[in-house]
């Protein structure tokens, strides 16, 4: 097998190869070029490398990787992407692929990490003397099989009762809730502007992490959703109390699933009301009734409210490949000495122990 390393800025020229490999493997909308290209344009630094592996003239792996610190490379992982940007033929041995890429990368890298892998899309690899895996987060989904009535009756009594009371309260106050869906490309800029207005009025604005049409996040979500909307695979759910927009979900669709990427709500709404939960109830009911999708994916870290909506929870993971077995053993010794669990895939093999124990963090 042989690897080519190209500037990731050249991704568009190889997007069809990437698309074909995704279609033959994970088939997830999160790794479609329509998602990847805006990620690179809005969050790339120019240091990212597009790695392409061919065997017997056929592409068997592609990934976007970047040097994270001395001796360590990993997949490009903006916080806006639930998955790392890596694809490989499941018939190819993952450890062999990573080891050959490690040798092809410039310098003498000691470790290569694949961040945020989904066991639903590919089997978690077995560990070895050079390869280990580390739990990332638990995430949830809802299988959209059967009827909404059966699904809803299986939810906890407290959830059903609470939302019923909220709807009664709105009715008594003369407030009419309304769910709408934006799907057209020309609606996406307005959807992100409104989303940003809600988020910028809340706690995320204080932390500087709110979406805004003029910041990188806003540009990414607008461009990406427009891409998906052009082929009928984007949906922005918007929930209203009368004339007041109170909640919104940013979603993409594909391969039998709808994925909620981001959610916000109006924090000025009284705490006795939960606009996001009310919106979600109506969305899920609509999804069950339409029968267009097999599952609803959340991809965020499981929160308490997720457990009220589903029992389907899985653990995502990272993969770390070390150049030599001794590096992995040494790293484990350092971690055991400090009584710290294995951290996300940006852990690096110890060229300098204090530096190499630094975990990756994503928002």
């Amino acid at each position: 097998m042989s690897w080519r390393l190209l500037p990731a800025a050249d991704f568009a020229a190889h997007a069809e190869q990437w698309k074909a490999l995704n279609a033959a493997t994970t088939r997830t909308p999160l790794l479609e070029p329509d998602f990847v290209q805006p990620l690179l344009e809005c969050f790339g630094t120019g240091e990212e490398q597009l790695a392409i592996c061919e065997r017997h003239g056929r592409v068997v792996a592609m990934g976007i990787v970047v040097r994270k610190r001395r001796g360590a490379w990993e997949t490009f992982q903006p916080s806006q992407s639930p998955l790392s940007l890596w694809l490989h033929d499941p018939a190819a041995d993952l450890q062999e692929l990573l080891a050959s890429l490690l040798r092809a990368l410039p310098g003498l890298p000691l470790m290569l990490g694949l961040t945020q892998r989904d066991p639903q899309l590919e089997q978690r690899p077995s560990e070895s003397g050079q390869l280990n895996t580390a739990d990332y987060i638990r995430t949830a989904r809802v299988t959209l099989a059967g009827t909404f009535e059966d699904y809803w009756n299986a939810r906890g009594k407290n959830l059903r009762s609470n939302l019923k009371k909220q709807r009664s309260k709105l009715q008594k106050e003369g407030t009419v809730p309304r769910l709408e869906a934006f799907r057209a490309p020309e609606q996406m800029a307005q959807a992100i502007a409104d989303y940003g207005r809600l988020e910028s009025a809340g706690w995320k604005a204080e932390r500087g992490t709110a979406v805004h049409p003029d910041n990188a996040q806003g540009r990414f979500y607008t461009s990406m959703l427009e891409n998906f909307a052009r082929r009928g695979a984007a949906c922005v759910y918007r929930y209203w109390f009368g004339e007041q927009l109170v909640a919104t979900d940013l979603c993409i669709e594909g391969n039998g699933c709808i994925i909620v990427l981001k959610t916000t709500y109006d924090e000025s709404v009284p705490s006795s009301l939960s606009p996001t939960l009310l919106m979600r109830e109506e969305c899920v009911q609509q999804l069950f009734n339409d029968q267009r999708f097999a599952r609803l994916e959340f991809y965020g870290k499981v929160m308490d409210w997720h457990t009220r909506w589903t029992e389907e929870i899985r653990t995502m993971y990272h993969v770390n490949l070390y150049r030599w077995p001794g590096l992995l053993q040494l790293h484990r010794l350092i971690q055991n000495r400090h009584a710290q669990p294995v951290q996300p895939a940006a852990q690096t093999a110890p060229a300098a122990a204090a530096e190499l124990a630094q975990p990756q963090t994503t928002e």
Side-chain angles (χ1 to χ4, degrees), residues 261-273:
L261 296 172
K262 204 165 176 64
T263 301
T264 195
Y265 68 98
D266 187 340
E267 294 183 26
S268 71
V269 171
S271 59
S272 59
L273 296 170

Side-chain angles (χ1 to χ4, degrees), residues 48-348:
E48 298 79 17
Q49 295 286 301
L50 173 62
I52 304 174
C53 182
E54 294 185 356
R55 174 181 281 167
H56 306 306
R58 186 172 67 88
V59 174
V60 295
M62 297 180 77
I64 298 173
V65 296
V66 65
R67 191 196 310 268
K68 293 301 291 184
R69 58 179 66 88
R70 182 165 55 114
W73 287 68
E74 71 177 33
T75 40
F76 178 51
Q77 190 64 69
S79 61
Q80 292 74 20
S81 178
L83 302 176
S84 60
L85 305 185
W86 172 274
L87 296 164
H88 71 276
D89 185 337
D93 182 83
L94 180 59
Q95 179 166 330
E96 183 182 357
L97 286 171
L98 294 177
S100 62
L101 176 55
L102 196 63
R103 293 190 295 270
L105 290 169
L108 186 67
L110 302 177
M111 175 268 173
L112 174 61
L114 304 185
T115 51
Q116 300 180 203
R117 312 303 295 164
D118 184 356
Q120 182 174 267
L121 300 178
E122 60 188 16
Q123 185 175 355
R124 186 166 178 163
S126 300
E127 298 195 0
S128 71
Q130 288 175 259
L131 184 146
N132 77 336
T133 63
D135 289 350
Y136 169 48
I137 60 169
R138 297 164 70 239
T139 193
R141 74 173 188 182
V142 175
T143 296
L144 302 169
T147 66
F148 174 75
E149 287 72 21
D150 289 341
Y151 163 80
W152 196 240
N153 288 334
R155 300 305 97 216
K157 181 180 179 181
N158 287 344
L159 174 65
R160 290 182 285 121
S161 175
N162 180 267
L163 292 185
K164 185 176 180 180
K165 288 177 181 177
Q166 290 187 39
R167 295 192 184 281
S168 296
K169 174 180 172 64
L170 290 170
Q171 186 176 20
K172 289 178 182 178
E173 294 173 349
T175 302
V176 179
R178 172 170 57 92
L179 177 68
E180 71 173 350
F182 275 6
R183 294 185 176 276
E186 60 272 17
Q187 293 176 310
M188 295 302 138
Q190 182 62 54
I192 296 304
D194 290 342
Y195 185 103
R197 177 175 54 81
L198 291 183
E199 196 165 73
S200 295
W203 62 269
K204 286 194 174 183
E206 298 176 2
R207 293 178 53 184
T209 59
V211 170
H212 188 278
D214 295 328
N215 66 16
Q217 282 205 88
R219 291 191 294 273
F220 164 70
Y221 284 111
T222 300
S223 176
M224 180 273 298
L225 288 169
E226 287 175 346
N227 288 345
F228 277 84
R230 289 186 189 100
R231 52 190 177 88
C235 182
V236 177
Y237 287 109
R238 293 153 56 87
Y239 202 63
W240 299 77
F241 287 171
E243 299 302 312
Q244 180 185 5
L245 180 65
V246 292
T248 183
D249 271 346
L250 309 181
C251 308
I252 58 174
E253 305 165 352
N255 190 30
C257 73
I258 179 167
I259 299 170
V260 180
L261 296 172
K262 204 165 176 64
T263 301
T264 195
Y265 68 98
D266 187 340
E267 294 183 26
S268 71
V269 171
S271 59
S272 59
L273 296 170
S274 304
T276 52
L277 296 185
L278 292 166
M279 174 179 67
R280 187 130 302 131
E281 179 188 0
E282 293 193 36
C283 287
V284 171
Q285 182 173 15
Q286 187 177 98
L287 292 170
F288 268 97
N289 292 341
D290 291 347
Q291 290 292 294
R292 291 182 57 215
F293 304 106
R295 63 190 187 278
L296 167 66
E297 293 280 5
F298 294 108
Y299 270 112
K301 181 180 180 180
V302 166
M303 309 294 282
D304 178 65
W305 71 264
H306 286 107
T307 63
R308 285 178 270 166
W309 288 82
T310 183
E311 299 82 31
E312 299 178 79
I313 296 171
R314 63 191 185 276
T315 300
M316 296 178 67
Y317 61 94
H318 304 294
V319 179
N320 296 317
L321 189 282
Y322 294 80
R323 183 175 283 268
W324 302 297
L327 294 173
L328 174 55
Q329 294 170 11
L330 181 57
H331 199 190
R332 284 173 172 163
L333 284 174
I334 293 171
Q335 290 173 325
N336 290 337
R337 184 177 302 165
H338 292 284
Q340 293 176 348
V342 174
Q343 296 292 331
Q347 306 168 122
T348 58

Side-chain angles (χ1 to χ4, degrees), residues 6-15 37 50:
L6 306 166
D10 296 340
F11 177 81
H14 303 275
Q37 184 71 54
L50 173 62

